[in-house]
Structures are given as C-alpha cells and as structure tokens.
Amino acid sequence: MFSNRLVHPWRHERNLRKQNKTVSVTLNSMTPITKVDPRFLSFSIDISVLAGGYWWEGSKGTQRGLGTERVEPLDLNQPKLDLLIRALGPAYVRVGGSEADKIHYFTSLNPPSTTPSDVLTLTQGMWNNLHNFCQRLDLSLMFTMKYGLFERGQHGIWQAHEVEALLKYCDAHGQRIDIIELGNELNAYWAFHGFTSQPSAKNLAKDYDTFIRCIRQHSPTSRIAGPGSAFWPRIGEAIKPLSNISSIFLANLEEKIDIVDWHYYPFQSSRSPVRTRAATIENILSPNSFKDFEKYSMQLEKWRNDYQPNAQLWTGETGSAQCGGQAKLSDRFVSCFWWADQLGRGAKIGQKVMVRQSLIGGDYALIHRQSLKPNPDYWVSWLWGKLMGECVFSVQSNDPFVQVYCHSAKKEGKCTLLIINMSPKPKIMHCHGFGSKKKRFEITADSLTSKKIRINGIKPKFKKGDVRLKDFPKLSKLNLVSPYSINFWCFTV
C-alpha cells in the first residue's frame, strides 16, 4: 500500500475534491511545436566539487552562497561513475558554480586573490582530467569563466588576461570548450559577495562585450552563453533595481551571443537564508509550484526576441531546491515529480537544453557523491533519455494533478506520452489522437520519501555494466496510471 502519510490530511482531502477519476488527454497535432537539442537533458559538476571547495554535504547553513564544509576534489576516473553517466547518453556537462568567480587557474600569472588557506585552484591535472572525462563519455563541455570583480570601481573594465591564457593552453593541447560563459549568476553578486560587488547592467554589458571578443578571437568555434541570471520562485530576479538586470544587460550588449540562459530552482532548502517557496512535500506536489518556471521563461523569451533574436534559450542550471537541495526530499521519490514536469514543461515552452544541478554532489544530485548510487531522479532521467525524442507535440490534460507531455520517440513512427500523476488516487486515462499503445513504463515507490524506486514493479539494477528497457516486466495495456506515479506510454503515430 502506497504511503502518503506525509501530506497534511486536511489539505490532502481538499485537493482530492478538486480531482477527476478519469483524465482526458488530447494530442492536438502531429506537427511538432518545437524541437529540443539532442543533448537536451544535461547536467553540471559544480566547480566546488571538481576542485575541492566549499560544498553542501554536512553543511547546516550557508556562507556567501556556499556550503560551510570543504570537500575533497572529485575523482573523475571512477569506472562506476563512467557507467552511470554513459547510461544517460550524450549530454552537456556544465562546470560552474559560485566558486567559479574566485578560483585560481593554473595558467594564471596573477597571484591568488584570497588567503592561502582559502585558495581554490584549478590545477593542470584537474583540467586535463576533465577534458579526458568529457571525451571518453561523449560530453560537451560548458565552462564558466571567472568574472571575479567584487568592487564597483572595477566593473566595466574587466580584463581578459586569465581567460586568454587558459584558452591558449586549450588550443596548444587540442582541448575544446563547447560553450563558454562569464561569471556565475552575475545578477546575484550582491547575495554572494556583498552589495558593493553587484555590477550594474550597463557595466556588465561592457565587460561581456570584452569577453565575447576574446572568445571569438581565441576560441572561435566555442558558443557563448549569458547572462546566466538567477531567478527565485515568486520574486523573479529579486531586488529592484539592484538585481533586475537581465533585460537591460541584453539591451546594452553590442556583441551577439549564441545562448540566452538563466538559472532557476522551484524551491529552497532549509539551508537557504531566504525561502520564497520552501521545499516541502505539499509544495513539490502542487501544480501551482510549476507555474513560475513557465512565467519567467516567457520573460526571458521576450527579452531574447527583442535583443538577441538568433540566440537559443537554455535553462543553464536547475535543481529541486537552492543551497544543495533539501535533505530527505531532494534525494527521494517525491523529487521525481518536479523533475519530470520541468523536463516536459521546459521542452514544451522552448528551452533547448535543461542543465541539472547536479550530476554528483549535494542532496539534489542525480548520483550520490560518496556511494555512487543513483538517486530516484536519475531513473527519471534515464527513462527520459531512452524514450523521449527531440520533436515536441502539443497535448492537453483536463486534470491539473495529472501533467502530460508528448515527444517523438527514439524510433521513427512512434511517440511517447509522459504522464505525471501527482494524486494519491489511480487515474483512468482516455487518450485521443494517438495510435495504438505499444509499451508502458511506470515509476513508483513505497512512499513519497522512499530512497528506492521501481520501474514496472522492480528495482532497476545494472547487470554486466548495463541496464536496458527490456529488463523490466511488460505492463498490461490498460488505460490506468497508479497513484503518485510517473509514466511513459509509447504509441504508434
């Protein structure tokens, strides 16, 4: 019996009265409404994890946007880690995060800007290992270059020397950076580095123009992303006029960028000093919690259309809850619901790539950093990669607690319907406009806070280094979805 004991009973009963026993899903047309990047589902490795900085495991709070505990640098040469990443398929891997703006590059001629005990250094060995890691696992590297200007008098006159030196090293060693951005969440410098560190939109545009010219000269095949602004649930870019800089930045940018990207977390963990929407089971299972993502995405799309019409829109960083994720929620079954929805919703509204924070490290990781065991969200990602193709179709559901999304399948002539049932009751599905149903895959668990999930009733396991769709029992073709379940239904078209 599925346990929903952690949902407040009175709110649970109120929500039940709003829900339907049957759900009608209509495929409006087989003409795609948009198309996503082949590496749509991507992920990040935070620079703090890669290089051994301040991170979230063991931290009870935050210090300037970081965890309070320092960790050992990540070993990228672990066969089990390779196996888990390879199973997710080709992806972009973003290496960024708050410490990207303070890190010392091994190629830099300038002395570190912090005291020796606090210096975080990207060593030559780390950099070479990162490129080897990307090459053997078919990962395209997205890298956050250091902005690192923390006083207003420095803004608008950023110098490219450190970036040039690193790019020249890459050129000499045949290393490619596919996407490059400058600085991490530059509209939130005030929160991470103090109020006087916040650059104005116009000065930031000047510095970004300098950066773009540097990249075009020294790494002409790299694409450029920006501004990577942080948006909070309910309040967007937060403090006006201090941090609402994205539209003015784009308006003042003289050079062209390839990608307009942004960062968004739908919830905040208990570590976060500011919580506009706390990470709770009730919030995670509320359809209203998903609306802000769409709202802010539409804002970015308008600004993109106005100022950088040829750029793609990317969600450059996202996770279940800010500040490392919420313990005992972000790494549990309940987290699968927001993740499945954001993948489907993001693709539907035109986000070409979704970069998950993080691949490894923190409560919000796809893979547990110490044990290398996959968390529940990993299996949503795995099924998405196996079953959801690049073409996105328009579908509608008449029940807000049953979210639906449809993509082409990996094989021609088929499509996959993603059905997310956030209700404690089973639902009878009436699907209109689809062909015949071929296969069903269903993710369930014993409770919302379970660390283990099941696919078609059994726990997924790697056998001889692989896990395959045919490893799971076939489900009947009944038009029924289980309570609290995430479903992938495969149809002919």
Side-chain angles (χ1 to χ4, degrees), residues 40 208 243 256 394 460 490:
F40 171 73
Y208 231 90
S243 59
K256 300 300 181 185
S394 175
C490 305

Side-chain angles (χ1 to χ4, degrees), residues 129-148:
N129 281 337
L130 175 62
H131 283 274
N132 293 337
F133 172 79
C134 291
Q135 188 171 11
R136 72 173 180 267
L137 295 173
D138 194 10
L139 301 175
S140 296
L141 178 61
M142 179 179 186
F143 189 73
T144 305
M145 292 290 186
K146 179 167 64 175
Y147 182 61

